[in-house]
Amino acid sequence: MSSGTRTLVSPLTLARPRGKAVYWTVFTAVVLLFALAFLFPVYWMVTGAMKSPDEVTRTPPTLVPKAWHLSGYTDAWDLMDLPTHLWNTVVQAAGAWLLQLVFCTAAAYALSKLRPAFGKVILGGILATLMVPAQALVVPKYLTVADLPLIHTSLLNDPLGIWLPAVANAFNLYLLKRFFDQIPRDVLEAAEIDGAGRLRTLWSIVLPMSRPVLGVVSIFALVAVWQDFLWPLMVFSDTDKQPISVALVQLSQNIQLTVLIAAMVIASIPMVVMFLVFQRHIIAGISAGSMKG
């Protein structure tokens, strides 16, 4: 019996000219269909902002704009004050990402390598929060942020109202811990023999080895804040401090549809760019779980 990998199409069939032609035809068709399914909505949104207000609502719709107008993007940039709201979003997402990376990494390292007392109980309690629907935590979170216990300070209309709740991310903490569990203990013992303390080991040994999973966690943290709507809406009543996700809804009442579509295109550009830049880390992070100890 052959020990080779079994495939849907046998090598003998692929060796024939007809089989090879059928295979590549089907493969090309499937790839094009998937590309069309994912890229056509993007094309429709980008070109929709370049149509006239009458054309964008026409039935049946036009596939290509009859006249290309860039005024939708310039109007969205000016009328909806996108620079301010984009900067608000960047500040909120960057702060949440940095704090989450620091505290989740420290907690995951402690639970994985330092083995504190009742560590399994603590981890179980953290993972239990994943079973609670996010909507059930909105009211308790809001009451806590509106009147912070002990110091009785309100974090409403303050980026800290976004940053602090984002730190408590059980999924990212567990993801980091599982990765740290797979780091060979021999490496840490060698660093300890060389005189490295626990903090030095984390900084010089563990973190450089954890770049793939740190990249994935970073993307999860940034996207979660960037696309969130309900929580920023509750925290920021001041329009000038609202992120782009909330501002698009609040300012869309008296705005033309083409301008609103253009604003949504502009708001999505940072996330698309981030994905294109860090896609290598996403793939590496997905395969990180295969690392053997």
Side-chain angles (χ1 to χ4, degrees):
M1 182 181 295
S2 175
S3 60
T5 304
R6 297 178 63 89
T7 59
L8 185 63
V9 183
S10 66
L12 181 61
T13 303
L14 287 177
R16 300 170 182 169
R18 182 179 177 183
K20 185 179 297 184
V22 172
Y23 172 80
W24 282 109
T25 301
V26 174
F27 178 78
T28 303
V30 171
V31 170
L32 289 177
L33 285 174
F34 272 94
L36 182 64
F38 284 102
L39 296 179
F40 182 75
V42 178
Y43 165 81
W44 190 258
M45 186 168 63
V46 172
T47 57
M50 299 182 182
K51 297 177 181 178
S52 64
D54 294 333
E55 186 180 1
V56 77
T57 57
R58 181 176 302 173
T59 304
T62 55
L63 187 61
V64 179
K66 292 184 176 180
W68 298 82
H69 304 280
L70 294 177
S71 58
Y73 290 99
T74 56
D75 290 344
W77 188 262
D78 297 329
L79 296 178
M80 303 189 74
D81 197 14
L82 291 187
T84 299
H85 298 296
L86 283 172
W87 176 248
N88 293 340
T89 311
V90 169
V91 170
Q92 295 165 24
W97 162 75
L98 181 60
L99 291 177
Q100 188 174 139
L101 210 60
V102 171
F103 286 98
C104 285
T105 300
Y109 177 70
L111 292 172
S112 175
K113 298 304 180 184
L114 303 186
R115 307 292 176 86
F118 306 106
K120 293 184 178 179
V121 176
I122 295 173
L123 179 62
I126 293 173
L127 295 180
T129 61
L130 293 174
M131 308 300 172
V132 182
Q135 293 80 1
L137 300 176
V138 170
V139 174
K141 273 201 307 184
Y142 180 81
L143 295 177
T144 302
V145 169
D147 186 13
L148 210 60
L150 300 179
I151 59 177
H152 300 290
T153 300
S154 175
L155 297 181
L156 298 180
N157 291 313
D158 192 311
L160 285 172
I162 301 294
W163 296 348
L164 296 184
V167 172
N169 191 304
F171 178 78
N172 285 345
L173 188 151
Y174 182 70
L175 193 64
L176 287 165
K177 180 189 178 299
R178 290 298 300 169
F179 187 89
F180 292 161
D181 287 342
Q182 297 175 1
I183 295 178
R185 182 161 291 276
D186 295 343
V187 176
L188 305 183
E189 291 176 352
E192 186 178 353
I193 293 175
D194 290 340
R198 291 174 176 175
L199 186 60
R200 180 69 177 180
T201 301
L202 172 63
W203 181 259
S204 301
I205 306 297
V206 176
L207 291 184
M209 296 177 64
S210 306
R211 287 178 182 174
V213 72
L214 290 176
V216 173
V217 168
S218 297
I219 292 172
F220 286 166
L222 291 171
V223 171
V225 176
W226 198 277
Q227 70 179 5
D228 196 10
F229 171 76
L230 179 59
W231 182 243
L233 177 65
M234 298 178 66
V235 172
F236 294 101
S237 58
D238 187 351
T239 307
D240 293 334
K241 296 182 179 180
Q242 290 175 345
I244 191 70
S245 59
V246 178
L248 287 179
V249 177
Q250 298 283 34
L251 301 176
S252 63
Q253 304 301 322
N254 301 316
I255 297 295
Q256 290 182 347
L257 182 58
T258 54
V259 176
L260 180 59
I261 295 174
M264 290 189 292
V265 172
I266 295 173
S268 63
I269 289 176
M271 289 294 98
V272 174
V273 172
M274 186 183 71
F275 172 78
L276 294 177
V277 172
F278 293 103
Q279 60 177 331
R280 179 168 57 89
H281 297 282
I282 297 176
I283 298 173
I286 293 173
S287 61
S290 62
M291 185 182 72
K292 296 181 180 179

